[in-house]
Amino acid sequence: MPAKILDGAQLAQTMQVEMKAEVEELLRQGRPRPGLAAVLVGTDPASQVYVKNKCLACEKVGIQSFKKELPEQTTQAELLALVEELNRDPAVHGILVQLPLPKHIDTLAVIRKISPLKDVDGMGPESTGLLAAGTPRFLPCTPAGVQQLLVRNGIDVTGWHAVIIGRSNIVGKPLALMLLRDAADGNATVTVCHTRTGWSPQTGKVDIEKLQALTRQADLLVAAAGRTPKLITADWIKPGAVVVDVGIHRLAPKKLCGDVDFDSVKEVASTITPVPGGVGPMTITMLLRNTIASARAFL
Ligand code: NAD
């Protein structure tokens, strides 16, 4: 039987309707409207689209967005000064600096400048440390979206073996920490794979069968490698597994696919996310959720 499809677009829509009601309730109580500042440096077309979509999503749920567009030649000092100004602005509850930044800017220094209380992207050192300690404040948006997709579809990973392909700071690593937590949405046993999984010093090569031996043990497999379209085929999957595909590859101007070969894997897995329409729409939704949570915490 083909796998059940986890519809991220639908869930994102549902959650945004819930958040709109939550914002309206805050306003009825006389509380300030939640506000998100989105900072964009330069004219990278993809980044422009991402920021525009984030601001549009804010509007949909009633969050005030403050779009700050700076020219490519903005200096690091100027950018840090803007972040400082936003840190002090009481109408701003969340600050998002769209990455990548131009090469002459030290990205880490900018992320560190964001007030930990407004770090709604969950990428700063305090957010990361709190997550590692098992007491998160703001969860990074993409792994939080993965977790919500599971929870809101009644998938309990307690006692499961979760295998994550990818160890980036933005997806794989924080997701591993989230699934490990002693919490209702955690308690999995987690294996994190990366480009050196299956590495042999003798041959100087990676033995992909060693990676596949791990993925075949996965009750939950999360693919966040982003290198090879449709890398993961049916023979990598334990029958009945839940498969979440974070990867995004553009095959043609309007044709996207993931790290997972959806057509073959859906015949083996019990549950699977599509690309597009799976994890992607959940990411922005989690940013909105963090911003509302931040506004509540400020009160
Ligand atoms: P990244 O390049 O920073 O990290 C990729 C990780 O995958 C690395 O840790 C690497 O070691 C590992 N990896 C790569 N190829 C591998 C292989 N063949 N075997 C084992 N491990 C391998 O990328 P990222 O920022 O974490 O993003 C990963 C993918 O997720 C990309 O396709 C990206 O576009 C997508 N993404 C989607 C969303 C979303 O909202 N849907 C958000 C962020 C990233």
Side-chain angles (χ1 to χ4, degrees):
M1 196 172 65
K4 175 185 169 189
I5 293 171
L6 292 186
D7 187 341
Q10 177 65 56
L11 179 56
Q13 180 68 29
T14 304
M15 290 186 73
Q16 289 182 20
V17 170
E18 291 167 6
M19 285 180 207
K20 186 167 190 281
E22 197 180 338
V23 171
E24 281 163 5
E25 180 55 29
L26 282 175
L27 298 179
R28 257 197 302 279
Q29 293 168 3
R31 313 278 180 95
R33 187 179 287 283
L36 174 75
V39 180
L40 174 65
V41 184
T43 53
D44 175 59
S47 293
Q48 283 175 329
V49 172
Y50 292 142
V51 167
K52 185 174 145 216
N53 288 345
K54 286 167 187 170
C55 291
L56 281 174
C58 280
E59 256 174 51
K60 261 174 75 183
V61 304
I63 294 174
Q64 186 166 11
S65 64
F66 304 90
K67 202 199 260 183
K68 303 285 178 185
E69 291 179 283
L70 302 176
E72 181 82 24
Q73 62 274 20
T74 300
T75 65
Q76 174 147 335
E78 286 165 337
L79 181 55
L80 291 177
L82 171 64
V83 172
E84 188 50 45
E85 192 185 305
L86 297 170
N87 282 343
R88 284 199 296 261
D89 186 340
V92 172
H93 304 102
I95 301 171
L96 163 97
V97 176
Q98 185 64 46
L99 303 182
L101 289 168
K103 290 205 168 51
H104 64 277
I105 290 179
D106 177 353
T107 302
L108 222 56
V110 175
I111 290 174
R112 286 189 177 147
K113 188 74 179 174
I114 297 171
S115 161
L117 299 178
K118 298 190 178 186
D119 178 27
V120 290
D121 229 6
M123 296 304 297
E126 192 166 313
S127 300
T128 307
L130 285 169
L131 173 58
T135 54
R137 181 188 290 133
F138 298 120
L139 293 171
C141 300
T142 299
V146 170
Q147 202 175 34
Q148 275 303 299
L149 260 176
L150 299 172
V151 170
R152 300 277 296 232
N153 281 283
I155 297 168
D156 179 356
V157 299
T158 302
W160 284 22
H161 185 189
V163 176
I164 302 170
I165 307 182
R167 61 177 162 188
S168 71
N169 289 339
I170 180 171
V171 188
K173 220 185 286 173
L175 181 62
L177 291 169
M178 289 162 62
L179 294 173
L180 265 180
R181 280 185 70 217
D182 184 359
D185 50 9
N187 282 316
T189 301
V190 182
T191 299
V192 182
C193 306
H194 48 77
T195 39
R196 288 292 182 272
T197 298
W199 172 261
S200 158
Q202 281 77 38
T203 62
K205 283 186 191 158
V206 164
D207 178 356
I208 199 161
E209 282 181 15
K210 291 198 172 143
L211 173 61
Q212 291 166 338
L214 289 168
T215 64
R216 276 190 216 112
Q217 292 173 33
D219 304 302
L220 167 66
L221 177 66
V222 181
R227 299 269 170 93
T228 312
K230 304 184 186 184
L231 169 75
I232 296 155
T233 45
D235 52 326
W236 292 48
I237 309 294
K238 174 174 166 174
V242 172
V243 178
V244 175
D245 193 355
V246 181
I248 303 175
H249 305 270
R250 194 169 290 282
L251 298 177
K254 287 201 169 164
K255 189 156 170 53
L256 298 182
C257 78
D259 288 346
V260 173
D261 178 33
F262 183 85
D263 289 336
S264 73
V265 171
K266 78 174 191 316
E267 301 300 326
V268 182
S270 66
T271 311
I272 188 168
T273 62
V275 176
V279 175
M282 294 299 294
T283 297
I284 291 185
T285 307
M286 294 301 112
L287 178 69
L288 305 178
R289 191 172 80 152
N290 281 348
T291 305
I292 296 171
S294 176
R296 278 189 184 284
F298 268 87
L299 302 167

